[in-house]
Amino acid sequence: MTTQNSHMHTPFAATLLERRDLSADTALFRVAPEESALRTLCSFVPGQFVQLSVPGGGEVPISPADLPAADGTLELCVRRAGHVTEVLHQAATGATLGLRGPFGTGFPLEEMAGRPVLLLAGGLGIAPLRSLLMHLLRNRNDFEEVTLMYGARQPKLMLFREELAALAAKGGLRLFLTVDFAPEESAGTFSCAVGLLPDLLKGFRFDAERTYAAVCGPPPLYRCLIGELQKAGVEAERILLSLERRMRCGIGRCCHCAIGQKLCCVDGPVFRASELRQIPEAL
Ligand SMILES: Cc1cc2nc3c(=O)[nH]c(=O)nc-3n(C[C@H](O)[C@H](O)[C@H](O)COP(=O)(O)OP(=O)(O)OC[C@H]3O[C@@H](n4cnc5c(N)ncnc54)[C@H](O)[C@@H]3O)c2cc1C
Ligand code: FES
C-alpha cells in the first residue's frame, strides 16, 4: 500500500492553529497539517471534503472553506451540530486533530472555464461554496461573470458577510444577499434584501444557456432552486449540487452514505441535477 493510499484510512496529524468565530455556533478553524500531508492535500478541488477527526469526539466530513494556503494550512468552517463538532469547538489552540482526504468529486472546473458561474448558497452552504468562490476569483480571467447569491435566516447568521462585501467591492463578483427576516438589531454594515433565496433568481437576467450553477444549502432549498434555474433555462447537466449524507468511511466501503445506487462520498458530494433525476430520495 502506498503512503497516499494508507492515508485514505489513517489520518494525517494536523495542529489547530487558530479559531475565528463567525456566528454564535459557527467558527472558522485554521489547521496546519503535518508536512507529509501537504502533497496529498494540495490535490484538493473545491467541492471535495476531508474526514476531520477530533480526539475524544470522532470523525466528521467537512468541506474545506478554501484551497490550502501557500503554507499548507487549511480553513474549515464548522457549525456546532452535535457531539464531534462540539468537541472541536471546545478544543484549544495547539490541539492535534486528524485529517483524511481529500475525498469525493469536486466541481468540474475545467468544464466551467470560460463560462458564467452562479453560486447559490443557503445558510452553512456558503462554507463548501467559499472554496469554489475563492478559486473563481483567484483565476478571474478564466471565467465569465461570477455571481454569488447567498441567503441566511437573519443578518447575524450570515457568515463571511464583511469578507464577501469587500470582495464584491473590489469588482469581479456580483453579490446578492438576502435574509429570511431582518430583526431590529444591527449586524454590522452590510445591506441585503429580505426574502427567500429562490426569490433572488426570479427576474434575474443572466446568460442561462451558458451558465453553470453551483448550489449548496439545506435540503428543502434544492428542489426549489433547481425548478427556478431550469425555468430560467439552465440545463440539469449544468446544475451542480453539493449534497450531504451521514458518512463513516468516506471512501466507498461502508455504504453509509448511499443515495439510491450512488454513494455520496465517492460519486459525490458534488452531483449534477441530471444525475439525480432517477433518484427521488436524493433531494
Ligand atoms: C460532504 C460533507 C461536507 C460537509 N461540510 C461541512 C462543513 O463545511 N461545515 C460544517 O459545519 N458541516 C459540514 N458537514 C456536516 C457535518 O459533517 C455534520 O454537521 C457533522 O458530521 C455533525 O457531527 P456531530 O457529531 O457534531 O453531530 P451529530 O451528533 O452526528 O449530529 C447532530 C445533528 O445533525 C444531524 N446530522 C449530522 N450529520 C449530518 C449530515 N451529514 N446530514 C444531515 N444531518 C446530519 C444529526 O442527525 C443530528 O440531528 C458536511 C457534511 C458532508 C457530508
Ligand atoms: S461513507 Fe462509507 S461508503 Fe460513503
Side-chain angles (χ1 to χ4, degrees):
M1 191 182 285
T2 63
T3 314
Q4 183 152 346
N5 275 342
S6 71
H7 280 290
M8 288 174 72
H9 304 271
T10 315
F12 289 110
T15 307
L16 175 56
L17 293 184
E18 59 173 319
R19 165 226 170 100
R20 172 159 68 95
D21 286 329
L22 299 176
S23 73
D25 63 1
T26 305
L28 190 66
F29 297 87
R30 177 173 287 280
V31 301
E34 64 179 272
E35 215 173 313
S36 59
L38 299 186
R39 230 181 85 209
T40 308
L41 289 171
C42 279
S43 67
F44 168 74
V45 176
Q48 287 190 300
F49 68 96
V50 295
Q51 287 284 79
L52 172 71
S53 42
V54 187
E59 199 179 43
V60 285
I62 299 291
S63 292
D66 199 350
L67 284 92
D71 61 1
T73 57
L74 210 55
E75 285 182 334
L76 305 170
C77 170
V78 184
R79 172 169 294 167
R80 211 168 45 220
H83 179 63
V84 181
T85 48
E86 177 65 46
V87 178
L88 174 68
H89 274 252
Q90 301 297 333
T93 308
T96 300
L97 307 171
L99 283 179
R100 292 191 292 131
F103 296 135
T105 52
F107 291 99
L109 300 176
E110 284 183 16
E111 201 185 303
M112 293 160 80
R115 300 296 195 103
V117 184
L118 169 61
L119 296 90
L120 293 151
L124 187 60
I126 190 68
L129 286 189
R130 182 172 172 262
S131 63
L132 174 62
L133 176 67
M134 298 316 260
H135 174 85
L136 298 175
L137 297 181
R138 287 191 195 112
N139 300 277
R140 191 62 196 82
N141 293 336
D142 296 346
F143 300 88
E144 283 188 20
E145 198 159 58
V146 176
T147 308
L148 169 64
M149 294 182 173
Y150 173 29
R153 266 181 291 145
Q154 48 176 301
K156 66 183 179 188
L157 298 179
M158 189 158 269
L159 310 174
F160 304 109
R161 51 190 182 244
E162 278 84 13
E163 175 190 301
L164 293 173
L167 288 171
K170 275 198 217 163
L173 168 66
R174 288 208 298 171
L175 178 66
F176 299 89
L177 303 173
T178 187
V179 287
D180 295 358
F181 74 100
E184 280 174 11
E185 77 263 23
S186 151
T189 51
F190 74 104
S191 62
C192 59
V194 177
L196 300 177
L197 184 58
D199 296 339
L200 289 180
L201 270 179
K202 291 179 185 149
F204 175 63
R205 289 178 168 273
F206 66 113
D207 185 359
E209 283 174 15
R210 299 183 59 250
T211 292
Y212 275 80
V215 184
C216 191
L221 200 64
Y222 287 80
R223 277 180 191 279
C224 196
L225 285 176
I226 292 171
E228 289 297 332
L229 286 165
Q230 289 193 305
K231 223 190 288 171
V234 185
E235 280 173 17
E237 285 72 21
R238 283 182 279 108
I239 302 177
L240 309 164
L241 310 165
S242 176
L243 297 193
E244 264 194 27
R245 286 296 183 274
R246 309 217 64 175
M247 289 188 185
R248 280 210 180 134
C249 69
I251 53 172
R253 303 276 161 82
C254 70
C255 293
H256 212 71
C257 64
I259 304 177
Q261 296 295 309
K262 295 190 183 288
L263 294 174
C264 188
C265 66
V266 287
D267 301 316
V270 177
F271 292 93
R272 292 171 199 264
S274 51
E275 284 179 86
L276 302 176
R277 260 189 208 129
Q278 310 302 330
I279 314 177
E281 69 269 33
L283 300 173

